[in-house]
Amino acid sequence: MTKLFSVLCGLVAALAWAVVIAIPVWFLITTMGAKVDLWASLDAFRHVRTYAQYAIFGALGVGAVSLVVLIVSRFAAGVGGAGAFLGAILAVVIGGGGLMAAKSAQDAAASVPPIHDISTDLTDPPQFSRAMIERREQIEGVNSVDLLDKQVPDSDWTGQWGGRAVTDVQAEAYPDIETLYLTAGPAQAYEASLAAARDLGWRITTASRDSLMFEGTVESFWFSFKDDFVVRITEAENGSSAIDVRSVSRVGLSDLGANAERVRAFIDAVRDATGSARDG
């Protein structure tokens, strides 16, 4: 009997450790492969979204069954080492962590509108340079940069937002995102904005002091999704300045609120750096 329990403990321990190693490796390879252009970011995301449920519940199942077998074996035959228990516990932790992460992502998607183009100016949004547009056009399935012509697709998934203009949806969902006005002049506002963007880790690809604009790209850590941004400074009344920023995802319908958070972070950074914001 002891031999039987020893064999069972060895089998469940091996299975648990296989899960503990295989699932993180699979996730890392899938999500990081886009960084080295092994596959497209959206393809990696869809792959994880499709198979994550099997990985999560598989890990939970293997971990739970392993723990039961190990506990019974310990009491019945005094077998089952600490390494076997550790593997089973880690399998449960991985499954539980994955379940919480999936629930968090689902809640995040449900809490924001399914849009991916955010601008502080919804009537005359900042425009990207021709060079940026050409880079985007090389990507299959890339999102349009024609903000004023965009509509949220009408489907069960888009719910209350479906069929509406993206600008109307943004105005309702993110009413706090608007042009930043500074008492500082345009030249000073440009330098402060450029410095703030760099401090935030944004990669600048085009910058023109003469045109008072700059643009670039931000890449997410997981899946390497790329969002392009453009910042425009214009002169306002009495020599003050108006700063507008726009951030657009290259692919995907919903950005899970990432572009809105990026715009907010930039505005806050400029405001904190200058301390000269004024009412619009």
Side-chain angles (χ1 to χ4, degrees):
M1 184 65 71
T2 300
K3 184 176 181 180
L4 175 61
F5 278 115
S6 295
V7 172
L8 283 174
C9 287
L11 289 174
V12 297
L15 184 58
W17 277 108
V19 166
V20 168
I21 295 171
I23 291 179
V25 168
W26 161 74
F27 181 78
L28 287 172
I29 290 176
T30 303
T31 57
M32 296 300 173
K35 286 188 180 296
V36 291
D37 296 324
L38 291 178
W39 38 72
S41 299
L42 197 56
D43 290 340
F45 176 77
R46 288 169 175 165
H47 178 83
V48 170
R49 185 179 60 184
T50 300
Y51 295 103
Q53 58 184 328
Y54 303 110
I56 289 169
F57 290 109
L60 285 172
V62 168
V65 169
S66 298
L67 281 174
V68 170
V69 170
L70 290 168
I71 291 171
V72 171
S73 298
R74 175 58 64 88
F75 280 101
V79 297
F85 275 97
L86 178 60
I89 292 171
L90 287 176
V92 172
V93 169
I94 288 173
L99 194 62
M100 288 188 292
K103 180 63 166 59
S104 177
Q106 186 178 39
D107 290 344
S111 67
V112 296
I115 57 178
H116 55 260
D117 193 342
I118 301 295
S119 174
T120 54
D121 188 337
L122 295 176
T123 57
D124 181 22
Q127 299 299 310
F128 292 100
S129 69
R130 187 61 215 169
M132 177 66 80
I133 293 174
E134 288 176 354
R135 281 195 292 271
R136 290 176 62 92
E137 288 176 344
Q138 296 174 9
I139 302 167
E140 183 179 356
V142 70
N143 291 323
S144 167
V145 293
D146 296 325
L147 175 57
L148 300 183
D149 292 332
K150 288 184 180 180
Q151 282 194 328
V152 178
D154 194 1
S155 68
D156 292 338
W157 184 73
T158 55
Q160 62 175 318
W161 311 107
R164 298 177 57 188
V166 168
T167 51
D168 291 342
V169 171
Q170 182 195 311
E172 180 178 332
Y174 306 120
D176 60 306
I177 293 180
E178 55 189 5
T179 301
L180 174 64
Y181 293 92
L182 299 180
T183 56
Q188 184 180 347
Y190 173 84
E191 295 298 337
S193 297
L194 191 61
R198 286 172 172 158
D199 288 344
L200 288 169
W202 297 6
R203 183 168 65 89
I204 312 296
T205 57
T206 301
S208 173
R209 286 179 175 81
D210 293 336
S211 300
L212 294 175
M213 66 79 67
F214 62 89
E215 64 185 6
T217 302
V218 178
E219 182 176 315
S220 67
F221 182 79
W222 298 115
F223 299 104
S224 299
F225 281 115
K226 293 180 176 64
D227 299 336
D228 298 315
F229 65 86
V230 56
V231 176
R232 178 188 68 200
I233 293 89
T234 54
E235 185 172 359
E237 60 183 20
N238 299 322
S240 61
S241 57
I243 301 175
D244 285 296
V245 55
R246 181 181 176 193
S247 185
V248 188
S249 299
R250 290 188 177 182
V251 296
L253 176 60
S254 175
D255 62 7
L256 303 183
N259 286 299
E261 288 304 310
R262 180 173 300 115
V263 169
R264 288 186 181 120
F266 173 78
I267 291 174
D268 288 343
V270 174
R271 183 184 289 117
D272 292 344
T274 60
S276 59
R278 69 170 179 82
D279 294 334

